[in-house]
Coordinates of all heavy atoms in Angstrom, one line a residue:
Y74 N -5.0 6.9 -5.7 CA -4.0 5.8 -5.6 C -3.0 5.9 -6.8 O -1.8 5.8 -6.6 CB -4.7 4.5 -5.7 CG -3.8 3.4 -6.1 CD1 -2.9 2.9 -5.1 CD2 -3.7 2.9 -7.3 CE1 -2.0 1.9 -5.4 CE2 -2.8 1.9 -7.7 CZ -2.0 1.4 -6.7 OH -1.1 0.4 -7.1
K75 N -3.5 6.1 -8.0 CA -2.6 6.2 -9.1 C -1.6 7.4 -9.0 O -0.4 7.2 -9.3 CB -3.4 6.3 -10.4 CG -4.1 5.0 -10.8 CD -4.8 5.1 -12.1 CE -5.4 3.8 -12.5 NZ -6.2 3.8 -13.7
R76 N -2.1 8.5 -8.6 CA -1.2 9.7 -8.4 C -0.2 9.4 -7.4 O 1.0 9.7 -7.5 CB -2.1 10.9 -8.1 CG -1.4 12.2 -8.1 CD -2.3 13.4 -8.0 NE -3.6 13.2 -7.5 CZ -4.7 13.3 -8.4 NH1 -4.5 13.5 -9.6 NH2 -5.9 13.1 -7.9
L77 N -0.6 8.9 -6.2 CA 0.3 8.7 -5.1 C 1.3 7.6 -5.4 O 2.4 7.6 -5.0 CB -0.5 8.4 -3.8 CG -1.3 9.6 -3.2 CD1 -2.1 9.1 -2.0 CD2 -0.4 10.7 -2.9
Q78 N 0.9 6.6 -6.2 CA 1.8 5.5 -6.5 C 2.9 6.0 -7.4 O 4.0 5.6 -7.3 CB 1.0 4.4 -7.2 CG 1.8 3.2 -7.6 CD 2.3 2.4 -6.3 OE1 1.8 2.6 -5.2 NE2 3.2 1.6 -6.5
R79 N 2.6 6.9 -8.3 CA 3.6 7.5 -9.2 C 4.6 8.3 -8.4 O 5.8 8.2 -8.6 CB 3.0 8.3 -10.3 CG 2.3 7.4 -11.4 CD 1.8 8.2 -12.6 NE 0.9 9.3 -12.3 CZ -0.4 9.2 -12.4 NH1 -1.0 8.1 -12.8 NH2 -1.2 10.3 -12.1
I80 N 4.1 9.1 -7.5 CA 4.9 9.9 -6.6 C 5.8 9.0 -5.7 O 7.0 9.3 -5.5 CB 4.1 10.9 -5.8 CG1 3.3 11.9 -6.6 CG2 4.9 11.6 -4.7 CD1 4.2 12.9 -7.4
N81 N 5.2 8.0 -5.2 CA 5.9 7.0 -4.3 C 7.0 6.4 -5.1 O 8.1 6.2 -4.6 CB 4.9 6.0 -3.8 CG 5.4 5.2 -2.6 OD1 6.2 5.7 -1.9 ND2 4.9 4.0 -2.5
G82 N 6.8 6.0 -6.4 CA 7.9 5.5 -7.2 C 9.0 6.4 -7.4 O 10.2 6.1 -7.4
Q83 N 8.7 7.7 -7.7 CA 9.7 8.7 -7.9 C 10.5 8.9 -6.6 O 11.8 9.0 -6.7 CB 9.1 10.0 -8.2 CG 8.5 10.1 -9.6 CD 7.8 11.5 -9.8 OE1 8.2 12.5 -9.2 NE2 6.8 11.5 -10.7
L84 N 9.9 8.9 -5.4 CA 10.6 9.2 -4.2 C 11.5 8.0 -3.9 O 12.6 8.1 -3.3 CB 9.6 9.4 -3.1 CG 8.8 10.7 -3.1 CD1 7.8 10.8 -2.0 CD2 9.8 11.9 -3.1
A85 N 11.0 6.8 -4.2 CA 11.8 5.6 -3.9 C 13.1 5.6 -4.7 O 14.1 5.1 -4.2 CB 11.0 4.3 -4.2
K86 N 13.1 6.2 -5.9 CA 14.3 6.2 -6.7 C 15.1 7.4 -6.3 O 16.4 7.3 -6.4 CB 13.9 6.4 -8.2 CG 13.2 5.1 -8.7 CD 12.8 5.4 -10.2 CE 12.0 4.3 -10.7 NZ 11.4 4.6 -12.0
L117 N 0.3 1.2 -1.3 CA 1.1 2.4 -1.0 C 1.8 2.3 0.4 O 1.1 1.9 1.3 CB 0.2 3.6 -1.0 CG -0.3 4.1 -2.4 CD1 -1.3 5.2 -2.2 CD2 0.8 4.5 -3.3
L121 N 7.1 5.7 3.6 CA 8.0 6.4 2.7 C 7.4 7.6 2.2 O 8.0 8.7 2.2 CB 8.4 5.5 1.5 CG 9.1 6.2 0.3 CD1 10.5 6.5 0.8 CD2 9.1 5.3 -0.9
L122 N 6.1 7.5 1.7 CA 5.5 8.7 1.1 C 5.2 9.9 2.0 O 5.6 11.0 1.6 CB 4.2 8.2 0.5 CG 3.3 9.2 -0.3 CD1 4.1 9.6 -1.6 CD2 2.0 8.6 -0.7
Y126 N 7.6 13.2 1.5 CA 6.9 14.2 0.7 C 6.4 15.4 1.6 O 6.7 16.6 1.2 CB 5.7 13.6 0.0 CG 5.2 14.6 -1.1 CD1 5.9 14.5 -2.4 CD2 4.2 15.5 -0.9 CE1 5.4 15.4 -3.4 CE2 3.8 16.3 -2.0 CZ 4.4 16.3 -3.2 OH 4.0 17.1 -4.2
Q134 N 8.9 18.8 -3.6 CA 7.5 18.5 -3.8 C 7.0 19.0 -5.2 O 6.3 18.2 -5.9 CB 6.7 19.2 -2.7 CG 6.8 18.6 -1.3 CD 6.0 19.4 -0.3 OE1 5.4 20.4 -0.6 NE2 6.2 19.0 0.9
E136 N 8.8 19.6 -7.9 CA 9.5 18.8 -9.0 C 8.8 17.5 -9.1 O 8.5 17.0 -10.3 CB 11.0 18.6 -8.7 CG 11.8 19.9 -8.8 CD 13.2 19.7 -8.4 OE1 13.6 18.6 -7.9 OE2 14.0 20.6 -8.5
A137 N 8.6 16.8 -8.0 CA 8.0 15.4 -8.1 C 6.6 15.5 -8.7 O 6.2 14.7 -9.5 CB 7.9 14.8 -6.7
A138 N 5.8 16.6 -8.3 CA 4.4 16.7 -8.8 C 4.5 17.1 -10.3 O 3.6 16.6 -11.1 CB 3.7 17.8 -8.0
Q139 N 5.4 17.9 -10.7 CA 5.5 18.3 -12.1 C 5.8 17.2 -13.0 O 5.3 17.0 -14.1 CB 6.5 19.5 -12.3 CG 5.9 20.8 -11.9 CD 7.0 21.9 -12.0 OE1 8.2 21.6 -12.1 NE2 6.5 23.1 -12.0
R140 N 6.7 16.3 -12.5 CA 7.1 15.1 -13.3 C 5.9 14.2 -13.5 O 5.8 13.4 -14.5 CB 8.2 14.3 -12.6 CG 9.6 14.8 -13.0 CD 10.7 14.0 -12.5 NE 11.4 14.8 -11.5 CZ 11.6 14.4 -10.2 NH1 11.2 13.2 -9.8 NH2 12.2 15.2 -9.4
D141 N 5.0 14.2 -12.5 CA 3.7 13.4 -12.6 C 2.6 14.1 -13.4 O 1.6 13.5 -13.7 CB 3.3 13.1 -11.2 CG 2.1 12.2 -11.2 OD1 2.2 11.2 -11.9 OD2 1.1 12.4 -10.4
G142 N 2.8 15.4 -13.7 CA 1.8 16.2 -14.4 C 0.7 16.7 -13.5 O -0.4 16.9 -14.0
T143 N 1.0 16.9 -12.3 CA 0.0 17.5 -11.4 C 0.6 18.6 -10.5 O 1.8 19.0 -10.8 CB -0.6 16.3 -10.5 OG1 -1.6 16.9 -9.7 CG2 0.5 15.7 -9.6
T144 N 0.0 19.0 -9.5 CA 0.5 20.1 -8.6 C 0.8 19.5 -7.3 O 0.3 18.5 -6.8 CB -0.5 21.2 -8.5 OG1 -1.6 20.7 -7.8 CG2 -0.9 21.8 -9.8
V148 N -1.3 16.7 -4.6 CA -0.7 15.5 -4.0 C -0.9 15.6 -2.5 O -1.2 14.6 -1.8 CB 0.8 15.4 -4.4 CG1 1.4 14.2 -3.6 CG2 0.9 15.1 -5.9
I152 N -2.9 13.1 0.1 CA -2.3 12.5 1.3 C -3.1 12.8 2.5 O -3.4 11.9 3.4 CB -0.8 13.0 1.5 CG1 0.1 12.5 0.4 CG2 -0.3 12.7 2.9 CD1 1.5 13.0 0.4

Side-chain angles (χ1 to χ4, degrees):
Y74 164 76
K75 287 181 178 181
R76 189 174 11 259
L77 293 174
Q78 184 67 16
R79 289 189 300 262
I80 298 291
N81 198 24
Q83 288 179 27
L84 293 175
K86 292 176 188 172
L117 290 170
L121 171 68
L122 182 65
Y126 196 83
Q134 289 176 1
E136 287 175 358
Q139 283 176 341
R140 275 187 248 127
D141 186 46
T143 187
T144 65
V148 175
I152 291 172

